[in-house]
Amino acid sequence: MIVVLKPHITRDSAVFQELMAFLSQKPGITLRVHEEVGAIMTLTEVYLIGDTSALDKHEIETLPGVERVVRIEEEYRILGRHHDDKRPTGFAYNGVQFAQDTLHVFAGLCAVDTPQHVEEMMKALAAHGQVCTRMGAYKPRTNPYSFQGHGASCLPWVFDLAGKYGIRVIAMEITHDSHLDEIREALEKTGSPTGVMLQIGTRNTQNFELLKIVGRQHQFPVLLKRGFGITLEESLNAAEYIASEGNRNVIFGLRGMKTNMGDPHRNFVDFAHVPVVKRLTRMPVCIDPSHSVGSRDRGPDGILDIQQVTAQAVVAGANMVLVDFHPHPQKALVDGPQALLLSELRYFLDDIAIARDAYIRRAAVAADFLKHHAS
Ligand code: PEP
Ligand code: MN
């Protein structure tokens, strides 16, 4: 059970103390307080852990300082969307709002290679009004002899260039806790010209120690990719690991499933789960069309498969698109064949805008239908 407090109730207030004293008398229940510090206000929630079935929700709801009481199901206690749950779905990071009703495109390099390529990419993003990108510095590779990413050495110039072109958030995979320290150090050294969203890749979705580490820090939000060979439920539980350690700023990423049933796509596209994840949890949902499709193949109508699956996900309400671009894909050190060209950026963004517009119209029609047919 979660007791959501009124916005102005702080931990040091008498109302809070009295409420805690009351709740702590309940037998077999332990209390855990979570504070969400936002730009405008701090939201405080008290988690009642244990067998809460005997507690009277309405009694607690009438106590001073209580805004609402949410009975939670067993699954995804923190990130889940529970019965009657009207808590917010998102968060703001470095001036960018992420929620289940926003949409951001993170176009960029799968792997950072040269300063020239990074600059060309960021310049193009700035020219198209984009403030987010992807830049891989640590690359988990199948083959030990493949390029593993430039690591810490590229971070200062990548961050400087991001600052130069007004990039506010860089999605960057980490595979080890030392990478978190290296990112912090490089940001400090460069005066934090940009922000970083820590990406946990599909190979690490169930690396529970890494999940706990990114969960214990509050500086960076986390993009957790779905595990490519596990159930959706298992991946959602992995996200809950991060939240249970204290960091709720988690975005869930769909990136396709590993099976040859999806051939000739690199992975079986799983974007039908966009609305499912939004229904089961309060996380914004990201899709990665590049690692799902894995090629620049296009249909007889001229539309790239990468664009098709992106549009399908956006038309279904996706909140973030993580997509590989490269100014010279033939020179890319990782995943060149699936990279879109800078000349395609405008067209790609316009195509997304069409799909987003369709989604907004569909959601309005659905809301109107429900208004008149509410059961
Ligand atoms: C990536 O986004 O660069 C990546 C390696 O993705 P995934 O973990 O989904 O394979
Ligand atoms: Mn890649």
Side-chain angles (χ1 to χ4, degrees), residues 91-102:
F91 58 91
Y93 174 63
N94 208 25
V96 184
Q97 184 69 34
F98 295 94
Q100 284 194 338
D101 57 4
T102 61

Side-chain angles (χ1 to χ4, degrees), residues 247-286:
N247 186 356
R248 290 186 188 189
N249 296 351
V250 186
I251 294 180
F252 191 77
L254 297 169
R255 49 83 67 211
M257 304 300 293
K258 203 173 198 51
T259 159
N260 57 11
M261 299 298 171
D263 291 357
H265 289 161
R266 182 173 172 181
N267 287 286
F268 195 95
V269 181
D270 55 350
F271 299 168
H273 276 158
V274 166
V276 178
V277 177
K278 288 175 75 173
R279 178 172 71 241
L280 292 175
T281 79
R282 294 176 298 123
M283 285 185 279
V285 180
C286 172

Side-chain angles (χ1 to χ4, degrees), residues 85-147:
D85 195 347
K86 295 188 183 67
R87 290 175 298 159
T89 60
F91 58 91
Y93 174 63
N94 208 25
V96 184
Q97 184 69 34
F98 295 94
Q100 284 194 338
D101 57 4
T102 61
L103 174 62
H104 298 285
V105 177
F106 281 60
L109 306 186
C110 178
V112 169
D113 44 28
T114 69
Q116 291 72 24
H117 293 159
V118 170
E119 179 148 20
E120 277 182 70
M121 182 74 234
M122 290 187 178
K123 199 172 175 178
L125 290 169
H128 292 85
Q130 299 298 300
V131 295
C132 300
T133 188
R134 56 161 297 147
M135 288 285 156
Y138 308 97
K139 300 305 301 177
R141 304 302 302 282
T142 305
N143 185 329
Y145 307 112
S146 301
F147 174 63

Side-chain angles (χ1 to χ4, degrees), residues 110 134 139-140 173 199-203 225 228 255 288 291 322 324 335:
C110 178
R134 56 161 297 147
K139 300 305 301 177
E173 178 164 1
Q199 184 178 323
I200 303 295
T202 195
R203 291 158 190 82
K225 293 272 199 97
F228 56 25
R255 49 83 67 211
D288 178 343
H291 290 84
L322 187 77
D324 290 5
D335 285 346

Side-chain angles (χ1 to χ4, degrees), residues 51-262:
D51 183 6
T52 57
S53 53
L55 298 186
D56 181 349
K57 177 176 186 272
H58 299 290
E59 178 199 28
I60 300 172
E61 245 161 4
T62 56
L63 296 173
V66 175
E67 171 96 15
R68 200 166 45 245
V69 175
V70 181
R71 254 197 203 286
I72 57 176
E73 285 99 53
E74 276 307 295
E75 294 270 80
Y76 329 130
R77 288 170 188 224
I78 300 174
L79 294 173
R81 184 183 280 283
H82 304 293
H83 181 65
D84 236 4
D85 195 347
K86 295 188 183 67
R87 290 175 298 159
T89 60
F91 58 91
Y93 174 63
N94 208 25
V96 184
Q97 184 69 34
F98 295 94
Q100 284 194 338
D101 57 4
T102 61
L103 174 62
H104 298 285
V105 177
F106 281 60
L109 306 186
C110 178
V112 169
D113 44 28
T114 69
Q116 291 72 24
H117 293 159
V118 170
E119 179 148 20
E120 277 182 70
M121 182 74 234
M122 290 187 178
K123 199 172 175 178
L125 290 169
H128 292 85
Q130 299 298 300
V131 295
C132 300
T133 188
R134 56 161 297 147
M135 288 285 156
Y138 308 97
K139 300 305 301 177
R141 304 302 302 282
T142 305
N143 185 329
Y145 307 112
S146 301
F147 174 63
Q148 307 280 313
H150 285 310
S153 68
C154 70
L155 299 180
W157 54 263
V158 169
F159 293 161
D160 277 337
L161 283 168
K164 179 173 171 187
Y165 290 102
I167 300 293
R168 306 198 68 88
V169 189
I170 302 177
M172 181 175 279
E173 178 164 1
I174 64 165
T175 61
H176 191 267
D177 57 346
S178 60
H179 301 159
L180 184 53
D181 299 331
E182 289 169 2
I183 289 171
R184 274 203 187 108
E185 221 169 274
L187 280 174
E188 250 165 60
K189 204 170 114 190
T190 52
S192 295
T194 188
V196 173
M197 179 181 287
L198 303 174
Q199 184 178 323
I200 303 295
T202 195
R203 291 158 190 82
N204 275 315
T205 308
Q206 286 189 311
N207 182 341
F208 299 116
E209 295 312 311
L210 187 60
L211 298 179
K212 288 182 198 167
I213 284 158
V214 297
R216 273 179 215 136
Q217 60 80 42
H218 295 261
Q219 188 177 355
F220 306 107
V222 180
L223 167 62
L224 176 75
K225 293 272 199 97
R226 173 191 197 159
F228 56 25
I230 56 177
T231 64
L232 180 65
E233 187 186 343
E234 286 164 330
S235 290
L236 294 177
N237 269 303
E240 184 74 11
Y241 254 93
I242 300 170
S244 73
E245 291 294 329
N247 186 356
R248 290 186 188 189
N249 296 351
V250 186
I251 294 180
F252 191 77
L254 297 169
R255 49 83 67 211
M257 304 300 293
K258 203 173 198 51
T259 159
N260 57 11
M261 299 298 171

